[in-house]
């Protein structure tokens, strides 16, 4: 197939990957803006390379004109979560969306692969808008924990190195490493609420601090400089106390002061 034709085929998939990554990142932002713990730690995506598509087509005996119908992971999204419990939440979020239709699911977490691979896979149908009109395409979403991703990344490079000839001892080691991953994820789950509390208060402190600094910066344009310096010193004192509720109160007071100056400046 000519390279130009490949480009025409793959372009809508590249658009889908860009849009899906943007949408999942937006879910993270929405959670943070509402001071909620985001079930997604990070998301990335890729369009399968032409050589990898050809390799898969050859392996599965797929004709070139059937590639789009038969290969579901030309567009691939990988969602990484901190905890196993987060995976269920992400799966539910995807089911609830109107722009993604779930057409297949494989739960390799409940049912680990023989290799030791564990991950949750969803095939979705997704519509992209092109200059020739809407195009429905399939995309594969892999959802896994940080620990599962670590294992899969290492194993994938070894698969690439050994192809079908992975030494049995290495296979065994990978299996026992996958057992350790299951144990690690379950240990992490048992301290999940503690970790989440710590992360939430860290995020809240960062958000409030950003609000305060923004307010102080705006006050420089509205208020007497000496008064702003006083406010800034007061902020530093409260910040050093490392007390979230005091910082929140200070932020509320600062909102009132800023509002007063803004109202005055409009007179
Ligand atoms: P790549 O290079 O990652 O794109 P499929 O081949 O997708 O039609 P299958 O096996 O039913 O058929 O799909 P499955 O099991 O959902 O696997 C699809 C993808 O999951 C693979 O894509 C891998 O990315 C990943 N995967 C599946 N099994 C393993 C495994 O044992 N180890 C690792 N590291 N990853 C795995 P590709 O196209 O095979 O590869």
């Amino acid at each position: 197939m000519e390279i130009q034709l490949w480009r025409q085929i793959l372009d809508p998939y590249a658009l889908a990957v860009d849009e899906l990554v943007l949408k999942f990142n937006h879910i993270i932002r929405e959670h943070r803006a509402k001071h909620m713990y985001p079930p997604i730690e990070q998301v990335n995506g890729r369009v399968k390379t032409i050589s990898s598509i050809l390799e898969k087509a050859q392996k599965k005996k797929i004709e070139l004109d059937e590639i789009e119908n038969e290969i579901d992971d030309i567009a691939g999204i990988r969602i990484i979560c901190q905890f196993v419990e987060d995976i269920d939440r992400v799966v539910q979020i995807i089911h609830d969306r109107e722009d993604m239709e779930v057409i297949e699911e494989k739960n390799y977490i409940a049912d680990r692969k023989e290799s030791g691979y564990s991950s949750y896979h969803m095939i979705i149908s997704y519509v992209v808008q092109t200059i020739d009109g809407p195009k429905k395409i399939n995309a594969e979403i892999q959802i896994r924990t940080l620990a599962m991703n670590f294992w899969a990344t290492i194993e994938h490079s070894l698969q690439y190195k050994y192809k079908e000839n992975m030494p049995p001892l290495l296979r065994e080691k990978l299996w026992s490493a996958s057992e350790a991953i299951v144990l690690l994820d379950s240990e992490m789950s048992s301290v999940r609420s503690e970790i989440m509390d710590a992360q939430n208060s860290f995020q809240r402190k960062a958000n409030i601090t950003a609000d305060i600094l923004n307010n102080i910066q705006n006050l420089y344009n509205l208020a007497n400089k000496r008064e702003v310096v006083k406010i800034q010193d007061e902020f530093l004192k409260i910040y050093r106390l490392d007390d979230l509720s005091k910082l929140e109160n200070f932020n509320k007071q600062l909102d009132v002061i800023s509002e007063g100056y803004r109202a005055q400046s409009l007179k």
Side-chain angles (χ1 to χ4, degrees), residues 2 68 138 205 259-261 263:
E2 283 175 33
E68 283 194 271
N138 284 356
K205 189 175 177 189
E259 215 29 68
Y261 274 111

Side-chain angles (χ1 to χ4, degrees), residues 1-218:
M1 205 182 316
E2 283 175 33
I3 193 80
Q4 190 54 30
L5 209 53
W6 272 111
R7 206 159 282 153
Q8 269 176 34
I9 292 175
L10 297 183
D11 259 359
Y13 292 88
L15 176 60
V17 167
D18 286 349
E19 286 185 9
L20 288 166
V21 168
L22 184 83
K23 287 179 178 184
F24 286 115
N25 272 320
H26 189 72
I27 292 173
I28 303 179
R29 274 202 299 278
E30 265 188 294
H31 276 82
R32 292 208 173 122
K34 290 186 177 164
H35 305 300
M36 285 159 67
Y37 167 82
I40 299 173
E41 173 65 15
Q42 69 187 56
V43 53
N44 44 58
R46 61 102 186 96
V47 175
K48 215 172 177 62
T49 60
I50 299 173
S51 70
S52 174
I53 293 174
L54 289 174
E55 205 177 302
K56 197 162 192 168
Q58 196 178 10
K59 202 164 107 191
K60 299 199 155 199
K61 304 199 180 354
I62 298 166
E63 296 295 331
L64 280 188
D65 56 0
E66 278 301 309
I67 277 174
E68 283 194 271
N69 294 331
E70 298 292 332
I71 300 185
D72 286 328
D73 68 339
I74 297 178
I77 303 295
R78 189 165 291 154
I79 294 176
I80 311 295
C81 307
Q82 294 195 35
F83 302 100
V84 184
E85 291 79 357
D86 300 338
I87 295 176
D88 296 336
R89 278 188 61 202
V90 176
V91 169
Q92 195 53 50
I93 287 173
I94 294 171
H95 272 287
D96 291 344
R97 289 190 71 107
E98 289 182 355
D99 53 351
M100 302 174 197
E101 186 197 346
V102 179
I103 53 178
E104 198 186 325
E105 281 172 273
K106 288 183 199 162
N107 187 348
Y108 295 128
I109 296 169
D111 195 6
R112 221 173 341 149
K113 276 196 158 185
E114 229 177 73
S115 58
Y117 178 75
S118 76
S119 187
Y120 198 101
H121 289 191
M122 297 174 102
I123 306 293
I124 60 158
S125 170
Y126 182 77
V127 179
V128 284
Q129 303 296 329
T130 74
I131 50 170
D132 302 315
K135 184 174 163 74
K136 217 178 206 187
I137 60 158
N138 284 356
E140 182 187 70
I141 306 181
Q142 300 181 342
I143 313 160
R144 47 172 89 143
T145 62
L146 286 158
M148 292 172 195
N149 192 49
F150 169 63
W151 184 95
T153 307
I154 304 286
E155 197 261 1
H156 193 271
S157 0
L158 290 170
Q159 256 187 44
Y160 187 77
K161 179 173 173 189
Y162 290 103
K163 301 271 186 252
E164 306 297 312
N165 306 311
M166 178 111 58
L169 187 64
L170 193 53
R171 232 180 261 278
E172 274 169 40
K173 279 193 186 298
L174 282 168
W175 175 261
S176 65
S178 83
E179 300 269 43
I181 295 293
V182 174
L183 194 65
L184 175 63
D185 272 335
S186 115
E187 290 289 309
M188 285 309 210
S189 290
S190 68
V191 290
R192 181 171 182 257
S193 59
E194 244 107 314
I195 299 173
M196 275 172 61
D197 279 353
Q199 287 172 346
N200 273 345
S201 58
F202 176 80
Q203 191 61 48
R204 263 174 64 206
K205 189 175 177 189
N207 289 350
I208 296 166
T209 305
D211 273 2
I212 292 174
L213 292 177
N214 197 25
N215 259 332
I216 292 177
Q217 196 177 346
N218 290 336

